[in-house]
Amino acid sequence: MTNSLPTSLPLSKLVTEMQESATLKMAKMARELKAQGKDVIDLSLGEPDFDTPVHIKEAAKKALDDGYTKYTPVNGLLELRQAIVNKLARENDLHYTVNQIVVSNGAKQSVYNLCMALLDPGDEVILPAPYWVSYAEIVKMAGGVPVIANSSIEQDFKSTPEEIEALITDRTKFILYSSPCNPSGSVFSFDELQALALMLQAHEHVLVVSDEIYEHINFTDRHYTIASMEGMKDRTVIINGMSKGYAMTGWRLGYIAGPDWVADACTKIQGQVTSGASSFGQKAAAVALESDHTPTKDMVKAFHQRRDLIINLLEQIPLLLVNRPQGAFYIFPDVSAYFGRTSTGGYHVKDADDMSLYLLAEARVSTVSGVAFGNEKCIRLSYATSDEKLKDAAERISKALSILI
Ligand SMILES: Cc1ncc(COP(=O)(O)O)c(C=O)c1O
């Protein structure tokens, strides 16, 4: 009798049914091609190409030297929670207590904590599409049911209150969106948020989870949050973090601000999963929030210029429908006019997934299909890269699309 061990055992149903993050997958494919010596321009990444400002790095080094190397309270160092309370008062005119803040290992974990804390099997979460890739998977991980509100480029990818209201049932727990939005870059205006809040007055059992991680990368006059609309603060959980506005993606620091009962529940979940975020990172985050924001403003200025550059270049491509994002660092063009075409080299593009793979193969430009974001007609391009690379990428995309006939 042979006694060979199996090379693998069955995985859980949960992980087997889970989608791999499409953005991470495309970034990995681009990295692999680059490692093979291929000249790939990576526009699939969801992070600023800038380095963390020096004074924030110095604060982390000092914290290490000062002995901040131990566990912190699960919901975060008091000093950082106070800095977040100050930030919300200063920038958003919102007044929270330190107990209403929970610092996490990134906004992604905040989404996870919230879904685990609020959802029972079968509970519904309304996701206005296009939505950030991880929302739907995390909702499902927690046993919830994502309910998608579709939108199109013609409405600037913003679902109306009526479209959202039509999806509300007794099982709806919350509405979850990002503004500025990943992937569309769309930003809800004051009037649009007010209209949403007004509609929700008739649906008291529904909370709002407002992901504001791109708050600072906003090209409109200012950032608005639904938490400041009348009657909404006690029904809203704000998600935010250090990744985008402070170029700190690798530091893994996010937070929520919300009602005490939600904050307590998230702390309970996090206490059993990861505990508090990195101690010296939290010290540096407090410095980042409290110090001069010139590096953030300079970064946003660069993103604004690059947005105009990429829009001008993409608008010259026939059949491409280009949106005019007001925030974040993504553009989400509608490529559906090319569906059903075949390249002169024999590559058939039937949908957005194919388009993204085609552009990687033919143009050596990495993008992400809109399908993972709940939109079947678009692809997402990140313009968090240099002007030269953006010009080169637009030229390559234009050429690859021109041979689809
Ligand atoms: C809308 C949105 N929310 C949350 C996150 C996650 O941010 P963090 O790096 O803080 O986990 C991202 C990152 O891409 C995002 O785009």
Side-chain angles (χ1 to χ4, degrees):
M1 196 174 81
T2 56
N3 195 10
S4 61
L5 288 168
T7 50
S8 75
L9 291 166
L11 291 165
S12 71
K13 191 161 171 288
L14 185 135
V15 79
T16 311
E17 289 175 1
M18 187 188 293
Q19 295 292 320
E20 184 185 353
S21 163
T23 48
L24 297 182
K25 187 168 135 193
M26 285 308 289
K28 190 169 149 218
M29 281 169 74
R31 260 200 317 273
E32 282 167 3
L33 282 173
K34 272 189 200 166
Q36 290 166 24
K38 303 269 164 41
D39 168 27
V40 175
I41 301 177
D42 191 353
L43 304 186
S44 63
L45 286 173
E47 63 182 345
D49 53 324
F50 297 92
D51 196 5
T52 305
V54 172
H55 70 284
I56 304 175
K57 292 201 231 177
E58 290 302 329
K61 291 179 199 169
K62 180 169 184 313
L64 278 171
D65 289 341
D66 289 348
Y68 280 87
T69 56
K70 303 271 194 275
Y71 288 133
T72 70
V74 173
N75 58 352
L77 287 172
L78 183 58
E79 183 182 332
L80 175 56
R81 283 182 291 128
Q82 186 60 56
I84 293 166
V85 164
N86 298 346
K87 175 258 176 247
L88 287 160
R90 192 177 60 237
E91 295 182 3
N92 312 97
D93 198 20
L94 284 169
H95 302 279
Y96 290 91
T97 68
V98 286
N99 294 332
Q100 293 177 315
I101 310 296
V102 182
V103 176
S104 66
N105 297 274
K108 193 178 259 187
Q109 187 183 21
S110 295
V111 177
Y112 177 83
N113 288 342
L114 279 164
C115 288
M116 296 306 274
L118 294 173
L119 299 177
D120 275 326
D123 283 345
E124 295 169 6
V125 176
I126 297 179
L127 301 179
Y131 48 79
W132 180 46
V133 275
S134 294
Y135 292 159
E137 290 310 310
I138 296 176
V139 166
K140 285 192 262 174
M141 231 191 281
V145 180
V147 177
I148 312 302
N150 290 309
S151 71
S152 63
I153 196 164
E154 288 76 20
Q155 60 188 117
D156 193 22
F157 302 110
K158 290 189 245 180
S159 301
T160 63
E162 294 74 33
E163 287 164 342
I164 292 173
E165 186 170 31
L167 300 174
I168 293 178
T169 70
D170 292 347
R171 296 301 307 262
T172 307
K173 269 286 170 74
F174 55 91
I175 301 167
L176 169 56
Y177 62 80
S178 59
S179 177
C181 174
N182 177 3
S184 67
S186 300
V187 174
F188 279 129
S189 68
F190 178 87
D191 289 348
E192 285 160 345
L193 290 172
Q194 203 171 40
L196 185 58
L198 203 66
M199 178 276 282
L200 287 170
Q201 281 181 5
H203 305 280
E204 284 182 350
H205 67 293
V206 180
L207 294 172
V208 176
V209 177
S210 170
D211 183 343
E212 302 177 17
I213 188 111
Y214 294 96
E215 167 175 17
H216 290 113
I217 307 169
N218 186 336
F219 316 132
T220 69
D221 58 341
R222 57 166 287 193
H223 172 79
Y224 293 103
T225 168
I226 196 165
S228 18
M229 304 297 149
E230 202 182 324
M232 289 307 296
K233 182 161 170 273
D234 292 340
R235 300 175 60 181
T236 302
V237 184
I238 291 177
I239 297 182
N240 210 325
M242 308 307 294
S243 284
K244 317 289 176 170
Y246 301 89
M248 291 172 69
T249 47
W251 294 62
R252 312 309 305 127
L253 286 162
Y255 62 86
I256 61 153
D260 293 88
W261 60 276
V262 176
D264 290 348
C266 287
T267 303
K268 190 171 173 185
I269 299 281
Q270 190 166 295
Q272 293 292 14
V273 182
T274 56
S275 296
S278 118
S279 50
F280 50 92
Q282 289 187 56
K283 287 284 286 183
V287 169
L289 292 172
E290 298 278 12
S291 58
D292 174 42
H293 277 54
T294 303
T296 299
K297 286 181 193 144
D298 289 345
M299 187 169 71
V300 174
K301 219 182 283 168
F303 284 141
H304 200 163
Q305 283 164 1
R306 291 172 186 178
R307 181 203 69 166
D308 291 345
L309 173 72
I310 191 83
I311 286 179
N312 289 338
L313 294 170
L314 294 182
E315 273 180 349
Q316 290 166 31
I317 301 177
L319 304 184
L320 205 63
L321 272 179
V322 182
N323 65 320
R324 182 163 282 272
Q326 297 296 319
F329 39 70
Y330 308 105
I331 188 154
F332 202 55
D334 182 323
V335 291
S336 61
Y338 291 95
F339 295 170
R341 296 185 175 219
T342 305
S343 76
T344 46
Y347 201 116
H348 184 65
V349 175
K350 64 177 183 316
D351 55 24
D353 285 348
D354 280 347
M355 179 59 91
S356 186
L357 293 171
Y358 170 66
L359 291 177
L360 185 59
E362 179 65 33
R364 299 269 184 245
V365 176
S366 169
T367 61
V368 187
S369 162
V371 173
F373 303 99
N375 180 298
E376 298 190 339
K377 292 183 166 183
C378 300
I379 57 169
R380 189 193 77 173
L381 285 71
S382 159
Y383 52 85
T385 192
S386 67
D387 287 5
E388 291 65 40
K389 282 196 180 151
L390 289 175
K391 284 183 203 155
D392 193 2
E395 211 174 295
R396 293 187 194 190
I397 292 172
S398 176
K399 208 162 143 210
L401 292 179
S402 73
I403 59 166
L404 283 175
I405 45 180

